[in-house]
Amino acid sequence: MTAVTPKTPAAPTSPAAPAAAATPAAPTSPFAPQSRAAPPALRFFEDGAETEPAIFPTRLRAWHVIAGVVFLLGSAVTSVLVGPAGIPAGQVLEEIASRIPFVSIHSNLSPTDVAVIWQLRMPRIVLGGLVGSMLALAGASYQGVFRNPLADPYLLGVASGAGLGATVALIEVPRLVSLPADFVPIAAFVGAVVAVIATFALGRTGAHERNVTSLILGGVAVAAFFTAAQTFLLQQQDSQVLSEVYDWILGGLSTAGWGQVDLVLPYIAISTVVLVACRRLLDALAVGDDEANTIGVRADRVRLLVVVAATLGTAAAVSVSGLIGFVGIIVPHTVRLIAGPSYQRILPLSVLYGAGFLILADLLARTVLSPGEVPLGVVTAFLGAPFFLVVLRQSRRIA
Amino acid sequence: MRRALLATAALAGALLAACGSTGASPPATTPTHASTSAFPVSVQSGDGTVRIPSRPTRILSLSASATQMLYAVGAGPQVVGVDKYSTYPPGAPRTKFTGYESSAEDYLPLRPDLVLLAFNTTNLVAQLEKLHIPTLLLPPATTIAGSYQQIAEIAAATGHSAAARRIVAGIAADLSRVARSVGNRVRGDTYYIEYDPTLYSGTSKTFAGALFSKLGMVDIADAAARAGSTYPQLSAEYLVKANPDYVFLADTICCGQTPKSFAARPAFSTLRAVHLGHVFPVNDSVASEWGPHSLETFFALIAKDVTTPSASGASARPSSGSGSSG
Amino acid sequence: MLEIDNVSVVLGEATVLKSVSARVEEGSWLGLVGPNGAGKTTLLRAVTGLVAYEGRINVAGRASSTTSRRAAARLVAYVPQRPVLPSAMSVTDYVLLGRSAHHSYLGGETRRDRRVVATVLERLDLTALARRPLGQVSGGEAQRAVLGRALAQEAPVLVMDEPTASLDLGHGQLVLELADELRREHSISVLCALHDLTLAAQYADRLLVLSGGEAVSSGSAEEVLTEPNVRKFFGATVEVLAGRDGVVVAPARRPGPEAPTWQQTEEAGDSGGNLAWAAAL
């Protein structure tokens, strides 16, 4: 063998830069561009070059973000302007502007109208935005972490756990009247978290090699068990409790004031920060667990972190909104169609588009049949199902 | 909260019991707020103490039972809207509202100054509170005293306390009269009340059940009800084995049941109630509501059918209601 | 430098690797050969830490069992036999994954990471394809991208498992030539499993023969690849010729009817340049 420069990177963090950069070391390279005077032989282990390399890693594109912000703001503003109270749009905007610091506009709305805007419409819009963004983000994260395009936030039993929790609360609360009014969301949250812990406990007992599959199967088993427990409890109940639970399952945003927003904001905020921070790691998981490990990404730990964060956020969202389907699937897939397959784009954009989508869906839910209402879960599914078919056709074309 | 209501209801019940169920009962309203109709007034309700600043003139009732009570105490002219399930009185200004709206803003076009609710599934109490609209939460009464209590609350909130005393006294007198005329004839007899052809029944802990208990009748659903349930679903076999003396069909409107169709069900022709002609239709809404109209209808049914049994039923008043309470 | 000392691997009930020892000096190339099921891939997976083992493996003087995944990724780069190629991921993003262990866990790549990737792409003649999704490049280009990802790790040890398995002869040679050049330029230690004994002999300084999970022979190609050895370890009848760049192992017709029926080498069927399995992903 002909060892030319027996130099080894001394430490992995700062690999030695062979000073032989200037010497035309490898003119024989079959890949060396013929036109180039100085072949780039050793350059790539070397620091100090001045030019910005002409490569284009996946980045969030400005127009994707701008479109998302416009969509979100458009949905939110329309929602705050529209309502049976019939407050003129100009006065609503005036009232909102008057709350901005250092803006000296004074609106002359009645206290009731002010309450409609700030205690009914606004909290509902904010809650819808939080729930929508969380479900979309969690759905996208689950799809990445399980490398399964059909994964949704309820994959690991969140829905059935929350459903059981809410059912228990709705049955027990009338008997234990001293409990706080927010007991149903809290019970739903606890139920969701317990279900996912059970899923993990079951999934772990499976063979190590089939970690992901056994986790998903564990979710199926846990969901079946919790749903059966819920059905068993409900079967013994009065029709009034049944209708309340059914109402909750259909999903919806009924909020008074900012209490529910305060309740879920911490969880959703933490969860969102963690998940969006993991966006690159999700891309790394695309090469499979083994290869992710060889490039220094602990696939199992990433999966655990992402699943814990997504579950916590989903549980919080579900606890105040019930089970709103499809958001966790159609929003990430739409974003994927618009912005490409990288989670570096999908995750942040899912937050924006998910929030806008649910606010819009809630607006439709309460206006389409006004004064009657369509359950929010029905609206999202109604918009979602046909849309999903389009997505599927598109993705088939791409593949 | 609800506990307070139950406590007052229990107190009123105790008062009533002390007077004897067959004696002439005095008006069973609580004196605290019924003594004055001067506003502002504070009323105890299912959602705590509600302060009503002035005599309401635009009342929205989202509970069929509350609608019955409003019209009974004479607050009808103050009502601007009732929910779609309020079937009595027929002339009440019905709306499309259900009482399950997700936003209280939906009610604002009616400009209500008092809202009556039976349930708080969608946080409406808190939402209406944010809009500064006084709201009474009047959950299903499970005793006759509980119903009197709600009549008194509604009367106090609407400025009709004096009338309420008279109404309640009248109902109590009617009850005494019915109870007297029935006497001990049905004491110990069993009955089955049906809310749905799939054999959903009600126990003696429901409002209708409480009424039959007053007559000494025994509800066959009691033994089948598990903890926490007052509307259990029975099996056909259980029903046949229990073999009730009386059957009340409260699924005549929702599900088109008649004494004939009941008797035609498999194995039911052998029931004692069928043989005796003791299968009686009841209006669905009447049977599931707890207002004065429901009480009087039941009294009439008992007076007509239970004391002098006949195969033909009494009071299947036509109604567009679906039979849901609310 | 890579030291493999008495490494055994037990998978379930089966011992698939028995006390294998080997040593790859800086800048040298150890070829790993052996029949199917000899434990070649298992040994490579042990070196990259993908499979639990007994014994010691030292990379650059450090025991690999005690290094973290992240640190290990900066010491050992791995070209798997059947890489998972996300069809929608761009070549640039894919090569950039090799920098995962260099930039902060949750943060983005630095300017230097981008520069390394740019240079790797240029060096592997992939610059023109930088933005192309992996699903739309040929098999040879995809294999170069896999090598590029490994090189972007800037690790002193490069482990390759059949890097030419899905390539035709010409593209296979290109990949091996490239790895060889980089090895010489940067004193990388290369551990490479190859089915083709002639190719293995041409590129490796030394060969290690695995059979039934044991190291049965090692030394220079001339020492190891004798006709009796090949018959013994591979059950193959060959002619070993003296070529211009070392020994040439040419298959020969079997002399008698008692010879086993299986083929000596397992040429991938899809050598036409397109990685059928990659496109399917």
Side-chain angles (χ1 to χ4, degrees), chain A residues 1-9 12-13 15 18 25-26 28-33 36 40-59 61 147 277-281 283-284 286-291 293-298 302 305 341-342 344, chain C residues 26-28 45 48 50 62 69-70 73-76 78 80 82-84 86 88-89 92-94 96-98 100-103 105-109 111-112 114-125 131 144 149 151 153-154 156 174 177-178 181-187 205:
Chain A
M1 88 168 230
T2 51
V4 180
T5 47
K7 243 178 201 173
T8 296
T13 41
T28 54
S29 164
F31 301 119
R36 211 59 73 90
L42 300 176
R43 279 268 248 8
F44 72 93
F45 295 120
E46 183 190 6
D47 287 311
E50 291 304 312
T51 50
E52 182 66 21
I55 64 154
F56 303 95
T58 299
R59 287 270 181 281
R61 288 216 190 120
R147 289 192 285 147
C278 286
R279 61 196 188 279
R280 284 161 191 284
L281 298 178
D283 274 348
V287 297
D289 285 16
D290 275 356
E291 290 183 54
N293 281 332
T294 66
I295 56 172
V297 175
R298 285 286 301 259
V302 171
L305 176 68
S342 169
Q344 296 178 49
Chain C
E26 283 173 21
S28 81
R45 285 171 64 84
T48 43
L50 290 176
R62 286 207 238 170
R69 274 257 152 260
R70 219 170 130 73
R74 290 187 292 208
L75 294 173
V76 180
Y78 182 47
R82 302 210 150 187
V84 178
M89 188 179 279
T92 297
D93 283 345
Y94 185 74
L96 195 53
L97 286 181
S100 296
H102 290 269
H103 58 69
Y105 233 124
L106 302 177
E109 77 279 349
R111 204 172 159 177
R112 186 176 133 70
R114 285 200 297 278
R115 196 171 294 133
V116 169
V117 170
T119 317
V120 167
L121 289 175
E122 196 165 318
R123 186 61 198 265
L124 300 189
D125 205 16
R131 302 168 90 161
R144 268 170 17 226
R149 191 190 74 190
L151 294 177
Q153 284 177 248
E154 291 187 308
L174 287 185
E177 279 298 336
L178 192 67
E181 258 174 55
L182 294 162
R183 163 185 68 109
R184 279 185 273 127
E185 286 164 20
H186 305 294
S187 296
D205 302 313

Side-chain angles (χ1 to χ4, degrees), chain A residues 89-110 113-115 117-118 122:
Chain A
Q91 293 191 26
V92 174
L93 294 176
E94 239 175 59
E95 167 61 29
I96 293 168
S98 74
R99 300 290 179 106
I100 300 169
F102 312 116
V103 174
S104 54
I105 296 176
H106 294 286
S107 76
N108 45 6
L109 285 175
S110 71
D113 288 346
V114 171
I117 294 168
W118 291 106
M122 279 293 202

Side-chain angles (χ1 to χ4, degrees), chain C residues 132-145:
Chain C
R132 188 91 65 85
L134 286 172
Q136 295 174 27
V137 300
S138 73
E141 290 158 350
Q143 191 65 30
R144 268 170 17 226

Side-chain angles (χ1 to χ4, degrees), chain C residues 141-219:
Chain C
E141 290 158 350
Q143 191 65 30
R144 268 170 17 226
V146 176
L147 183 61
R149 191 190 74 190
L151 294 177
Q153 284 177 248
E154 291 187 308
V157 173
L158 176 63
V159 174
M160 296 192 284
D161 193 357
E162 300 290 348
T164 62
S166 55
L167 301 177
D168 62 41
L169 192 56
H171 284 97
Q173 274 184 334
L174 287 185
V175 166
L176 291 175
E177 279 298 336
L178 192 67
D180 194 44
E181 258 174 55
L182 294 162
R183 163 185 68 109
R184 279 185 273 127
E185 286 164 20
H186 305 294
S187 296
I188 298 171
S189 308
V190 176
L191 176 60
C192 178
L194 279 177
H195 265 306
D196 190 306
L197 297 178
T198 305
L199 282 178
Q202 281 170 355
Y203 290 93
D205 302 313
R206 289 167 57 77
L207 289 178
L208 177 68
V209 185
L210 284 185
S211 180
E214 289 179 83
V216 288
S217 178
S218 75

Side-chain angles (χ1 to χ4, degrees), chain A residues 40-353:
Chain A
L42 300 176
R43 279 268 248 8
F44 72 93
F45 295 120
E46 183 190 6
D47 287 311
E50 291 304 312
T51 50
E52 182 66 21
I55 64 154
F56 303 95
T58 299
R59 287 270 181 281
L60 216 45
R61 288 216 190 120
W63 75 267
H64 292 152
V65 177
I66 292 167
V69 169
V70 167
F71 175 55
L72 172 57
L73 283 181
S75 301
V77 169
T78 315
S79 288
V80 83
L81 295 180
V82 174
I87 312 167
Q91 293 191 26
V92 174
L93 294 176
E94 239 175 59
E95 167 61 29
I96 293 168
S98 74
R99 300 290 179 106
I100 300 169
F102 312 116
V103 174
S104 54
I105 296 176
H106 294 286
S107 76
N108 45 6
L109 285 175
S110 71
T112 302
D113 288 346
V114 171
V116 166
I117 294 168
W118 291 106
Q119 301 296 329
L120 296 188
R121 289 185 189 173
M122 279 293 202
R124 187 169 172 146
I125 290 165
V126 172
L127 194 67
L130 286 174
V131 168
S133 65
M134 191 64 242
L135 292 179
L137 180 60
S141 303
Y142 273 54
Q143 285 152 26
V145 103
F146 293 115
R147 289 192 285 147
N148 180 345
L150 286 176
D152 80 349
Y154 307 141
L155 187 70
L156 298 184
V158 170
S160 56
L164 182 61
T167 304
V168 169
L170 287 167
I171 293 169
E172 296 298 330
V173 162
R175 285 195 245 160
L176 312 167
V177 279
S178 58
L179 287 167
D182 282 334
F183 188 67
V184 173
I186 291 167
F189 182 79
V190 171
V193 172
V194 167
V196 175
I197 290 173
T199 297
F200 262 89
L202 271 179
R204 190 156 288 193
T205 57
H208 188 72
E209 295 288 315
R210 299 239 171 254
N211 205 358
V212 171
T213 312
S214 67
L215 202 57
I216 293 174
L217 289 178
V220 171
V222 165
F225 182 83
F226 276 59
T227 308
Q230 185 187 358
T231 310
F232 175 73
L233 283 177
L234 284 177
Q235 190 261 329
Q236 309 183 26
Q237 294 307 312
D238 302 350
S239 56
Q240 174 56 30
V241 178
L242 283 178
S243 90
E244 283 185 33
V245 172
Y246 186 63
D247 229 60
W248 188 89
I249 287 172
L250 281 178
L253 302 163
S254 305
T255 184
W258 297 87
Q260 297 202 330
V261 171
D262 294 345
L263 196 67
V264 298
L265 185 60
Y267 297 100
I268 291 184
I270 290 171
S271 168
T272 302
V273 167
V274 170
L275 292 177
V276 172
C278 286
R279 61 196 188 279
R280 284 161 191 284
L281 298 178
L282 284 180
D283 274 348
L285 289 192
V287 297
D289 285 16
D290 275 356
E291 290 183 54
N293 281 332
T294 66
I295 56 172
V297 175
R298 285 286 301 259
D300 50 347
R301 284 195 195 164
V302 171
R303 184 170 297 115
L304 185 67
L305 176 68
V306 168
V307 166
V308 165
T311 298
L312 210 63
T314 304
V318 164
S319 70
V320 293
S321 68
L323 304 181
I324 300 172
F326 269 109
V327 179
I329 287 187
I330 58 164
V331 174
H333 279 295
T334 310
V335 169
R336 191 171 278 123
L337 272 184
I338 296 172
S342 169
Y343 286 98
Q344 296 178 49
R345 284 177 185 164
I346 293 175
L347 292 193
L349 292 178
S350 287
V351 172
L352 280 179
Y353 288 90

Side-chain angles (χ1 to χ4, degrees), chain B residues 165-176:
Chain B
R165 242 168 280 150
R166 209 172 51 244
I167 301 293
V168 170
I171 296 171
D174 288 345
L175 174 59
S176 306

